[in-house]
Amino acid sequence: MSVQPEEIDRRWVEPAARAGFAHAQADPVVPLMNIANVLTMLRIALVPLFVLALFVGGGHQTGWRIAAAALFGIAAITDRFDGQLARKYGLVTDFGKLADPIADKALIGSAVIGLSMLGDLAWWITLVICGREIGITLLRLVVVRRGVIPAGRGGKLKTLVQSVAIAVLLLPLHGGFATAGMALMYVAVALTVITGLDYVGQAARLWLAGGSGRARGA
């Protein structure tokens, strides 16, 4: 009786599967130039264009302020989509993990610093926002070996409110609209402080838990 090739394969594969052996599957290689990273790089490229538009003509020309607000809005929208695309389609890369927060901080930081230089935003607000971002970045580097603190809803809400408030302040608005923009910015500052303190608390718990865990293991 002849033995078919598929029967031979089955005789080898089935015992191996029962014994718990399986072929190791290589992790898919994610290309660096994917849509998520392209959007992140676009956001970085828009930052100097935004700053240029903001300061043209002394920073208070109606047309250029609208252009600056439009550039800021486009850049802020890319921030929303690049992360979603990366997670949905498995396009997460080391470059994206590094470049995405840099792009976010460059956009928000340049906007608040620019508005303060033009006299449209109090410097203490800019110092609170930029100080929080720099401090949390340094804290993240300190605790990274103990674990990673995922971005929470509060942080995402903070970024959203900051972006909307900045966009309103960039527009050449007056009266009630300008007042509403400042009120929204105060809310953004409150969220900035609250989420920053929450992150510090999480980092402290993570550090203490890691330290005690190492002590028990030793």
Side-chain angles (χ1 to χ4, degrees):
M1 179 177 65
S2 62
V3 179
Q4 299 298 321
E6 55 269 20
E7 294 180 2
I8 296 176
D9 295 339
R10 192 180 305 115
R11 292 175 185 178
W12 284 100
V13 172
E14 290 180 355
R18 287 194 295 270
F21 296 102
H23 293 288
Q25 296 182 351
D27 294 333
V29 178
V30 179
L32 180 63
M33 293 300 294
N34 58 65
I35 182 62
N37 286 345
V38 168
L39 288 175
T40 299
M41 289 186 288
L42 174 62
R43 185 158 72 258
I44 294 175
L46 285 175
V47 171
L49 297 178
F50 157 71
V51 173
L52 180 62
L54 180 60
F55 283 96
V56 168
H60 291 97
Q61 288 189 5
T62 299
W64 283 108
R65 286 296 288 260
I66 294 175
L71 289 170
F72 179 87
I74 293 171
I77 290 174
T78 65
D79 178 37
R80 177 173 179 80
F81 287 110
D82 59 0
Q84 290 181 344
L85 291 172
R87 290 186 295 270
K88 182 176 181 180
Y89 296 105
L91 301 176
V92 178
T93 63
D94 290 337
F95 171 81
K97 294 177 182 178
L98 176 65
D100 185 67
I102 292 176
D104 297 343
K105 290 173 176 55
L107 180 64
I108 297 295
S110 63
V112 293
I113 291 174
L115 286 170
S116 292
M117 292 177 65
L118 294 173
D120 296 332
L121 185 67
W123 274 106
W124 71 266
I125 294 178
T126 295
L127 292 175
V128 168
I129 292 176
C130 293
R132 186 265 192 196
E133 297 304 327
I134 295 173
I136 294 302
T137 298
L138 295 176
L139 185 60
R140 184 180 288 112
L141 294 176
V142 171
V143 303
V144 67
R145 291 189 177 183
R146 302 295 180 95
V148 177
I149 301 175
R153 293 182 178 179
K156 296 177 181 178
L157 178 62
K158 177 265 300 180
T159 302
L160 175 62
V161 176
Q162 281 181 351
S163 299
V164 175
I166 290 171
V168 174
L169 293 177
L170 287 171
L171 291 171
L173 302 174
H174 304 282
F177 291 104
T179 302
M182 281 307 306
L184 197 58
M185 179 57 74
Y186 290 136
V187 175
V189 171
L191 290 172
T192 298
V193 174
I194 293 171
T195 56
L197 293 175
D198 178 66
Y199 191 95
V200 171
Q202 293 185 62
R205 290 191 294 270
L206 182 63
W207 181 267
L208 293 176
S212 59
R214 289 186 180 184
R216 288 193 298 270

